[in-house]
Amino acid sequence: MRRISIFGATGSIGQNTIDLIAREPDAYDIVALSGGRNVVQLAQDARKLGAQIAVCADETCLAELRELLAGTGIETAAGETALIEAAQRPADWVMSAIVGAAGLAPGLEALKTGATLALANKESMVCAGPLVMQTARAHGAAVLPVDSEHSAVFQALVGEDLAAVERVIITASGGAFRDWPLEQLASATPEQAATHPNWDMGQRITIDSASMFNKALEVIETKEFFDIDPSLIEVVVHPESMIHALVGFNDGALMAHVGPPDMRHAIGYALHHPARRALPVERLDLVKLGALTFRAACETRWPALRLAREVMAEGGLSGAVFNAAKERALDAFIAKRIGFTGMAHVVEQTLNRVSAQNGLIHAGMSLDNVRAVDHLARETADMIMLQN
Ligand code: NDP
C-alpha cells in the first residue's frame, strides 16, 4: 500500500485528491491529513480514509477536532509545529495543497523524508524555488507539478531535450474581468472577482485569476520548475481553458496539452506518475467544441504580468516579497479595504521599498531568510496600505 499525506486536504485541490484516492481505498494507507479551520470536513475525511493523524493549522480549532474524532483512534494536533511534525512522518507521496506561503515549510519537511512531493502550492516555488529543488536533490526526492499548466509542460517534455526548447507558452483564461472595460476594473468587487468562467477553485486563486496574479506566480513557477530562461516564457489568453500549456521546440513543433478544466487530471497524473492510469475526467468532443481562441495578454489590464518579469530579473528573494505583498493586498481586497486595481499598486510599491533595503533581497536562499523577507514584505505592504 502506498503511504499518502495530504496537506490542505480541506481545500479545492485537497478535496479533488481525496476524490481520486477514495475510489481505491485498498491501494492507499493515509498517514496525515491537514486543514486550516474547516475541522468538520477534516474529521469527516480522516474517518472516511482512516488517517493516522489529522492536523488543523488553527490552534483554536483543536478542541472541536478532538471532539469530532473522539473514540476513532485517529491522532489530532494543531499549529505550525504540528504540521511540520506530520510532514516528517514517512510517506511515499505527499500532496502540498495548502494555500499561500504557509505551504512551504511542510513541503520542505516532506522532501527531507525522500517522499515524492506533488506540488500544487505554487507559492513554494515562487518564494523559494531553488531551495525546494535543492532539498529534493539532496534527499533523493521528486517534485511533481500539479498546477495544470506545469503538469502540461511536464508532460510535453517527457523524453525531450531541454536544450531544444525554444519557448513555453502558458495559457490564462483571463478570469472574471477579461472583457470588462479597463475603466470599470477599479470598482470590481471581491464577489465579482471570485467567479471564474471555467475553473472551480478556492476563493483566493479565483480572485488571483481575475487579477492575473495567479498567472504571474505561474510564470515564476515555470522558470523555477523547469529552469527555463524567463525570456522563453510567454502568456497567452485562451478563454476556453482547454489548452493548458504549449512547448515550442527548435524544429518549429508546438506540443500542446489539451483537456477539460478538471484538476483531477493533473493530480491523477502526479499520483500515478510515471504510469498513466484511467481517470474520471470528461473526454473532449473536439467537434462539439468547434473552435479555440487566443488573445494577447495585455500588461495594462494585468500589471501583475509585468511585475513577475521584474521579479525574475531581480532574482534572489524577490519572489518571496512579491508573494507576501500579493497575499496582504489580496486580504485587503477581500476585506474591501482596497480596490481591485489597488492590489498591483501595493505589490509594486512593496517590491520597490524592500528592494531598496540594501542586500536583503540577495541575502541567500534559506528558509529563515525567506521567512524574514516574507515578514518584512507583509509589514511593508500593510504600511503602504495605511498610508494610501
Ligand atoms: P483552498 O483555499 O480551496 O484550500 C486551501 C487549503 O489550505 C485548505 O485546506 C485550508 O484549510 C488550508 N489553509 C489555509 N490557510 C492555511 C494556513 N495558514 N496553514 C495551513 N493550512 C491552511 O485553495 P486551493 O485548493 O484552491 O489551492 C491550494 C493551492 O493549490 C494554492 O497554492 C493554489 O495556488 C494551488 N492551485 C490550486 C488550483 C485549483 O484548481 N484550486 C489549481 C492549481 C494550483 P481550511 O479550508 O480548512 O481553512
Side-chain angles (χ1 to χ4, degrees), residues 8 10-13 36-38 57 97 99 120 122-123 147 201-202 263:
T10 50
S12 166
I13 291 287
R37 300 178 51 82
N38 187 353
V99 66
K122 62 192 79 180
E123 296 88 346
D147 230 338
M201 308 184 288
M263 283 310 296

Side-chain angles (χ1 to χ4, degrees), residues 72-377:
T72 59
I74 298 170
E75 296 169 60
T76 52
E80 209 184 321
T81 310
L83 277 174
I84 301 277
E85 284 170 7
Q88 289 166 344
R89 294 190 176 204
D92 300 303
W93 189 89
V94 175
M95 168 55 78
S96 165
I98 288 173
V99 66
L104 174 61
L108 288 174
E109 288 307 313
L111 286 173
K112 288 181 196 164
T113 71
T116 293
L117 189 70
L119 191 69
N121 177 262
K122 62 192 79 180
E123 296 88 346
S124 290
M125 283 309 226
V126 172
C127 297
L131 181 61
V132 171
M133 292 317 226
Q134 180 202 322
T135 306
R137 274 193 301 275
H139 295 87
V143 187
L144 298 174
V146 171
D147 230 338
S148 57
E149 295 77 3
H150 304 77
S151 177
V153 173
F154 189 76
Q155 293 179 52
L157 287 175
V158 171
E160 301 287 355
D161 180 359
L162 260 187
V165 172
E166 261 184 4
R167 56 182 177 150
V168 171
I169 305 171
I170 60 174
T171 61
S173 70
F177 308 136
R178 68 175 174 233
D179 298 318
W180 279 35
L182 278 182
E183 55 283 6
Q184 260 185 35
L185 289 180
S187 62
T189 66
E191 293 76 19
Q192 289 167 324
T195 319
H196 198 280
N198 306 325
W199 291 92
D200 180 14
M201 308 184 288
Q203 179 204 37
R204 297 180 73 84
I205 186 175
T206 306
I207 298 175
D208 282 349
S209 294
S211 62
M212 284 274 193
F213 269 108
N214 180 49
K215 208 51 55 182
L217 296 177
E218 287 175 8
V219 169
I220 302 171
E221 186 187 5
T222 303
K223 168 187 177 285
E224 299 296 346
F225 226 116
F226 303 103
D227 197 17
I228 298 235
D229 191 288
S231 65
L232 305 185
I233 307 170
E234 301 169 26
V235 174
V236 166
V237 175
H238 168 44
E240 295 85 6
S241 298
M242 292 294 168
I243 296 183
H244 307 302
L246 307 94
V247 178
F249 294 94
N250 56 7
D251 59 355
L254 206 47
M255 305 294 282
H257 183 284
V258 191
D262 184 336
M263 283 310 296
R264 291 176 305 173
H265 170 76
I267 296 167
Y269 185 81
L271 180 62
H272 302 302
H273 180 267
R276 277 196 191 272
R277 296 263 303 273
L279 292 171
V281 299
E282 182 198 340
R283 272 47 174 176
L284 283 187
D285 180 338
L286 293 178
V287 174
K288 207 159 141 194
L289 205 60
L292 295 177
T293 59
F294 304 92
R295 307 179 199 169
C298 161
E299 292 188 359
T300 310
R301 179 178 292 275
W302 294 298
L305 296 174
R306 170 178 55 80
L307 296 177
R309 300 222 172 262
E310 290 173 13
V311 164
M312 291 188 293
E314 178 79 43
L317 295 165
S318 56
V321 177
F322 181 66
N323 180 67
K326 189 281 293 177
E327 287 191 21
R328 292 306 287 157
L330 177 59
D331 290 338
F333 174 63
I334 291 171
K336 303 194 175 178
R337 283 187 277 113
I338 62 170
F340 183 74
T341 47
M343 288 191 283
H345 291 301
V346 171
V347 174
E348 183 159 19
Q349 286 177 42
T350 307
L351 280 166
N352 291 341
R353 281 203 202 174
V354 176
S355 301
Q357 306 203 15
N358 251 346
L360 212 63
I361 293 289
H362 298 287
M365 181 62 72
S366 68
L367 185 56
D368 284 346
N369 285 349
V370 170
R371 283 189 160 143
V373 161
D374 175 285
H375 183 72
L376 176 67

